[in-house]
Amino acid sequence: MRALRLYAGPSALDHLRERGLRPSDVGVVPAAAGGPKGLILGPIDRLLFGHWLADAPQPIHLVGASIGAWRMATACLPDAVGSFERLEHDYIHQHYELPPGQRRPTAQQVSEQFSLNLQSFYGGRVEPVLQHPRWRLHVVTSRGRRLLAHDGRWRTPLGYLSAYAANAVRRPALGQWLERVVFSGPDVAAGTTSALPFATHDLRTRQIPMGPHNFMQALQASCSIPFVLRPVVDIPGAPHGPYWDGGITDYHLHLHYRHDAAAPIVLYPHFQRAVVPGWLDKAWKRRHRSSPALDHMLVVAPDPDWVRQALPGGKLPDRSDFGRYGQDLAARVRAWGAAVKAARQLAEELGEWLARPDVRRVEPL
């Protein structure tokens, strides 16, 4: 059976009908939060950044939150294919040794280990990430405000409860409690900070230049899931306060992408069809629909039936697997390893489609 499905906004679909799809058509690649779900996209990442987009002449903006930020930073490394393979291996094999009687690692333990992992992965390689001649990296984080302006045993739960209630009324109200802060690498050709490839009228937003002085902290903050990791506090060059997972404000990066006539396509490897705005919007199904913000987007994602039939447990890897397998690292490694091995079919089918784009396979987003 086919593993891959393709979904396009109306403008992207018109472009595909008229011109097909070439590497030079791509202006933005988003990468969603979602923890272990991102593992399923590893083979596609290697195809796109190691081969198909490798010789594209134009700058491409890479926008990531949480594991998506880790993936997009990895794409900027000189050996993208080998680096993606290492990312996959390291993520699958992550493990926390617990003392007797402790059922799960504390947020402090996870944060300390994650910091060491980032240092091991990017140590000595930050400059190549930031100085890529064509990729423009943007790392999305969520900065706490009001009750969330300081992390605390009671402040943080109460602050997130308030943020949830405000967001339930209307999404822009989320900005009263959490501010979208985007750390952007340099535009090497222009010698300035890269301009954001999306508008920011939808939510309170701030852009901060990203360099060697704050790269590690920004990337860790983007991956700091509330209550699972500690926030990163006072990132150099950014406003005072705690910074959490970028997926809280922008779970699937449902952003108002700017239209670039020369490279109009927002090419989105994703693990599902719906592009959910923020993590707190997961319960609000009406917000999962497409919108004019995504008119130029082409989503490539696994077919839900393929997921049910081909992957262990009939599902994508997810954070519940840490509880499901507990300290049985070998069992989790087997399950996640089988999932990413099956996901090679996604990359194979995408490669075939990119070689000869067939618009008949593309569904409305």
Side-chain angles (χ1 to χ4, degrees):
M1 65 178 296
R2 284 179 172 170
L4 188 74
R5 293 178 74 170
L6 301 102
Y7 311 97
S11 297
L13 191 56
D14 288 344
H15 180 98
L16 294 173
R17 290 190 181 112
E18 295 172 8
R19 306 181 191 178
L21 184 65
R22 300 164 297 178
S24 58
D25 295 328
V26 178
V28 183
V29 178
K37 293 177 183 176
L39 289 170
I40 208 73
L41 302 173
I44 289 178
D45 288 338
R46 294 193 286 273
L47 166 68
L48 293 179
F49 294 105
H51 304 285
W52 193 70
L53 289 174
D55 297 323
Q58 78 284 5
I60 300 179
H61 292 273
L62 312 184
V63 185
S66 199
I67 192 175
W70 195 351
R71 288 170 47 220
M72 294 301 95
T74 301
C76 297
L77 287 166
D79 177 18
V81 171
S83 297
F84 275 122
E85 289 173 345
R86 179 181 170 186
L87 169 58
E88 183 179 284
H89 175 274
D90 290 358
Y91 198 99
I92 289 174
H93 288 82
Q94 64 181 298
H95 184 60
Y96 303 91
E97 293 290 345
L98 301 179
Q102 185 175 331
R103 297 182 58 188
R104 59 178 63 87
T106 66
Q108 185 65 33
Q109 288 173 314
V110 178
S111 290
E112 290 174 355
Q113 184 61 54
F114 188 67
S115 178
L116 293 174
N117 292 345
L118 289 183
Q119 291 290 341
S120 173
F121 194 88
Y122 291 106
R125 303 200 294 171
V126 173
E127 283 289 352
V129 171
L130 298 174
Q131 296 297 318
H132 195 284
R134 286 173 296 117
W135 302 162
R136 308 287 184 257
L137 179 63
H138 305 272
V139 173
V140 182
T141 69
S142 304
R143 173 178 172 260
R145 303 182 69 236
R146 296 191 175 188
L147 272 174
L148 292 173
H150 299 279
D151 186 30
R153 182 177 180 184
W154 299 110
R155 291 178 64 102
T156 300
L158 287 173
Y160 272 103
L161 181 61
S162 301
Y164 182 86
N167 183 73
V169 176
R170 64 189 194 97
R171 176 165 159 78
L174 177 64
Q176 299 173 20
W177 301 94
L178 289 160
E179 178 182 48
R180 174 197 291 144
V181 179
V182 185
F183 291 84
S184 297
D187 181 331
V188 176
T192 60
T193 300
S194 296
L196 291 177
F198 52 87
T200 59
H201 60 274
D202 61 318
L203 192 68
R204 182 186 179 97
T205 302
R206 194 187 302 255
Q207 185 184 27
I208 303 296
M210 182 168 58
H213 65 294
N214 60 10
F215 170 82
M216 292 290 190
Q217 296 95 323
L219 190 55
Q220 173 146 354
S222 187
C223 299
S224 292
I225 304 166
F227 312 112
V228 178
L229 288 86
R230 298 292 305 277
V232 178
V233 179
D234 296 347
I235 298 177
H240 171 80
Y243 290 76
W244 277 282
D245 195 306
I248 303 300
T249 54
D250 295 285
Y251 190 39
H252 295 163
L253 302 163
H254 192 129
L255 301 168
H256 294 259
Y257 295 97
R258 303 186 191 278
H259 177 242
D260 182 341
I265 298 299
V266 179
L267 179 59
Y268 193 2
H270 195 17
F271 42 77
Q272 62 181 47
R273 181 178 189 169
V275 182
V276 181
W279 191 84
L280 300 178
D281 294 314
K282 291 199 295 184
W284 310 110
K285 300 300 183 183
R286 66 182 182 277
R287 299 185 188 179
H288 298 192
R289 302 167 185 159
S290 186
S291 76
L294 311 182
D295 279 358
H296 291 87
M297 180 175 284
L298 173 63
V299 171
V300 296
D303 184 290
D305 288 336
W306 176 83
V307 169
R308 285 189 286 270
Q309 296 180 36
L311 300 190
K315 69 174 189 63
L316 299 171
D318 60 40
R319 284 199 299 118
S320 70
D321 291 336
F322 288 109
R324 177 176 294 107
Y325 295 106
Q327 290 293 291
D328 191 349
L329 174 63
R332 177 165 55 80
V333 167
R334 283 195 299 272
W336 286 6
V340 298
K341 183 177 181 180
R344 295 173 190 169
Q345 185 179 349
L346 297 170
E348 291 169 1
E349 292 185 13
L350 179 59
E352 293 170 359
W353 186 86
L354 290 171
R356 300 184 65 179
D358 182 357
V359 180
R360 294 173 297 179
R361 283 200 60 188
V362 183
E363 306 170 59
L365 180 59

